Every structure is written in C-alpha cells, then in structure tokens.
Amino acid sequence: MADDKDIQGHADTYAGLISLLFWGGIGVAVIAAMVIWLIAPAAK
C-alpha cells in the first residue's frame, strides 16, 4: 500500500491539475468573449 509521502504527492498533483483546469477554463471563456465581441459588430 502507498505510504503517506506517495499520497501527499498525488494529492498535490491532483490539486495542481484542478487549479490548471479552473484557470484554463476562465482563460478560454475570456478569449471566447473577446472573439464574440470582435465579430459581433461585423455581423450588423
């Protein structure tokens, strides 16, 4: 069975992945909003 060091390392990796996904999602949403804002005036 895994010892506490291994579990802590995995928990840290998991927390980093969740943080990356969170900030990546926010970044994608901001970029998508900017693209929509830039394209919308051309559609009028």
Side-chain angles (χ1 to χ4, degrees):
M1 186 150 191
D3 60 6
D4 288 338
K5 259 190 198 180
D6 289 341
I7 292 172
Q8 184 60 42
H10 293 304
D12 291 342
T13 301
Y14 179 76
L17 176 64
I18 295 300
S19 178
L20 178 67
L21 290 173
F22 175 77
W23 289 110
I26 289 175
V28 167
V30 167
I31 291 170
M34 287 173 43
V35 167
I36 291 170
W37 178 71
L38 288 170
I39 292 174
K44 289 182 181 180

